[in-house]
Amino acid sequence: MNTPALSVVIPVYNEEQGLAALFARLYPALDALGIAYEVLFVNDGSRDRSAAILREQYQRRPDVTRVILLAGNFGQHMAILSAFAQCRGQRIVTLDADLQNPPEEIGRLLQKMDEGYDYVGGVRRQRQDVSWRRHASWMMNRIRERITHVVMTDQGCMLRAYSRDIIQAINHSQEANTFIPALAYTYARNPGEIEVAHEERAAGESKYSLYKLIRLNFDLVTGFSLMPLQIFSLVGVGLSLLSALFVIYLALRRILLGPEVDGVFTLFGILFFLIGVLLFGIGLLGEYIGRIYQQVRQRPRYLIDTILQSPDEQPPAAALLSRPETHS
Ligand code: UDP
Ligand code: MG
């Protein structure tokens, strides 16, 4: 099991209600592939019984299961990164824990990789989510398409397969906030896509609030493109030219027609519009400066509490020194 053909990475955050159903479908689907595999669950600081359930599952299938218990909630993408640093497979598949990505589709992703693709993204056929999320995500996909170089039909689908090379490149990048499917795309030599099924959440509720979704999309857009800033400065140039003309026009009127107060509200309207544009620009600057700030602090992106894995997975020295939490 030291270099299995496949590593499956699953982030888990407060998923106690759905985990049993996930195990019941995941393991048979992987066994059916007939290849050596490992499953890495990452508990992203769940506050429910998820960690205990993962521990039980590890005891049930220690041969193919590894569990990373993070020391807090670091977010889905950081959780996946922590597993990327630990996984050993030749190919790596990521998947959500809520069964929205059917594990039976993993085989099809691998088949597509056999055709020579080093990165295969899933595109959700008939996405089963609430309609505002479908529409917002459609719009974000289009915006991202325009302003980044990342080509993806469905950025929100986490059912994706990556080659070892891409994971290694990701492990070497030290970004503080990132969006894994887009990061992987920048390192892929031959990316492909296939349609995959999508199901309703098996149990529990979405871990993404509107706020978290907006944050995630800012990470995606500002992390992979400078264009928002560039567009903003272009808009700024255009607007300041227009307002310069407007000031000249007002000055001429003052000279030719004398003082006048009519149309003050129009003036206010224009002023408020300009202030709005300015505030948006400052906010946008803040997004980038915030990223720089997080980057220079160089805080660890996640903290691992424990890793549950069988002893032959441990580096030899460590295995001799201590064997807590291991089973043979
Ligand atoms: N998740 C996580 N940490 C978080 C939020 C989510 O590990 O802070 C996991 C979650 O358990 C699930 C996956 O990321 O396996 C996707 O989350 P969710 O299904 O809530 O997102 P949605 O499908 O609504 O986009
Ligand atoms: Mg989900």
Side-chain angles (χ1 to χ4, degrees):
M1 196 180 133
N2 266 336
T3 49
L6 173 67
S7 295
V8 178
V9 169
I10 306 181
V12 175
Y13 179 54
N14 295 347
E15 302 281 4
E16 61 178 6
Q17 289 154 321
L19 283 177
L22 172 69
F23 302 150
R25 276 176 63 186
L26 178 69
Y27 286 86
L30 293 176
D31 288 332
L33 294 175
I35 53 174
Y37 69 86
E38 60 173 7
V39 185
L40 277 100
F41 293 101
V42 187
N43 175 47
D44 187 18
S46 301
R47 284 185 298 269
D48 64 359
R49 289 192 54 250
S50 296
I53 298 172
L54 291 176
R55 211 177 267 267
E56 279 163 31
Q57 179 59 23
Y58 165 69
Q59 271 148 14
R60 229 169 281 138
R61 293 292 300 269
D63 51 330
V64 289
T65 309
R66 298 164 71 193
V67 180
I68 301 175
L69 301 170
L70 295 184
N73 179 235
F74 294 91
Q76 179 185 4
H77 291 258
M78 291 306 129
I80 294 175
L81 283 184
S82 76
F84 280 177
Q86 300 290 330
C87 67
R88 309 242 162 85
Q90 286 308 306
R91 288 169 175 175
I92 292 88
V93 168
T94 56
L95 180 84
D96 285 352
D98 56 3
L99 279 177
Q100 288 198 283
N101 309 134
E104 295 79 15
E105 298 278 34
I106 294 174
R108 292 188 42 238
L109 288 175
L110 299 181
Q111 269 167 24
K112 184 78 176 175
M113 288 192 96
D114 291 339
E115 291 169 24
Y117 296 96
D118 59 348
Y119 171 33
V120 179
V123 177
R124 291 168 288 190
R125 191 189 308 133
Q126 286 178 345
R127 184 168 168 199
Q128 307 290 326
D129 273 315
V130 287
S131 82
W132 69 265
R133 285 209 42 187
R134 285 205 309 271
H135 291 110
S137 130
W138 181 86
M139 204 184 68
M140 274 319 298
N141 269 297
R142 301 293 85 77
I143 294 178
R144 187 221 63 242
E145 235 165 52
R146 291 258 151 67
I147 64 182
T148 69
H149 62 281
V150 180
V151 182
M152 273 190 292
T153 312
D154 186 3
Q155 63 188 34
C157 182
M158 289 306 285
L159 181 54
R160 287 167 189 273
Y162 310 94
S163 72
R164 175 101 230 142
D165 289 350
I166 294 181
I167 299 301
Q168 248 146 13
I170 291 181
N171 286 343
H172 281 121
S173 65
Q174 286 300 321
E175 269 176 274
N177 289 305
T178 199
F179 191 85
I180 289 165
L183 190 59
Y185 181 88
T186 47
Y187 300 135
R189 262 162 279 190
N190 189 17
E193 286 187 332
I194 60 168
E195 276 208 344
V196 291
H198 193 241
E199 295 174 9
E200 270 184 55
R201 213 172 209 289
E205 54 191 25
S206 173
K207 306 299 176 292
Y208 279 95
S209 58
L210 179 60
Y211 172 74
K212 269 186 157 186
L213 281 174
I214 293 175
R215 291 294 337 146
L216 192 68
N217 278 294
F218 262 115
D219 279 347
L220 174 55
V221 167
T222 58
F224 293 89
S225 166
L226 288 179
M227 202 183 280
L229 271 185
Q230 289 156 349
I231 290 178
F232 191 77
S233 41
L234 280 182
V235 170
V237 169
L239 280 176
S240 40
L241 278 180
L242 285 180
S243 29
L245 290 179
F246 188 61
V247 169
I248 294 174
Y249 168 74
L250 287 179
L252 285 178
R253 280 184 74 96
R254 176 66 182 79
I255 295 164
L256 300 178
L257 303 175
E260 34 178 8
V261 274
D262 289 349
V264 165
F265 281 9
T266 323
L267 208 56
F268 267 119
I270 294 168
L271 193 66
F272 285 149
F273 173 70
L274 286 180
I275 292 176
V277 173
L278 267 177
L279 283 180
F280 175 70
I282 293 174
L284 195 58
L285 273 176
E287 284 296 324
Y288 284 95
I289 294 172
R291 292 182 69 85
I292 299 171
Y293 178 52
Q294 280 173 334
Q295 205 67 48
V296 295
R297 279 192 308 207
Q298 295 203 337
R299 295 207 181 145
R301 295 181 293 180
Y302 51 79
L303 282 181
I304 295 180
D305 186 50
T306 319
I307 302 182
L308 308 180
Q309 55 191 357
S310 54
D312 49 306
E313 289 290 331
Q314 312 271 3
L320 285 177
L321 286 174
S322 68
R323 293 191 162 206
E325 311 263 22
T326 57
H327 294 251
S328 43

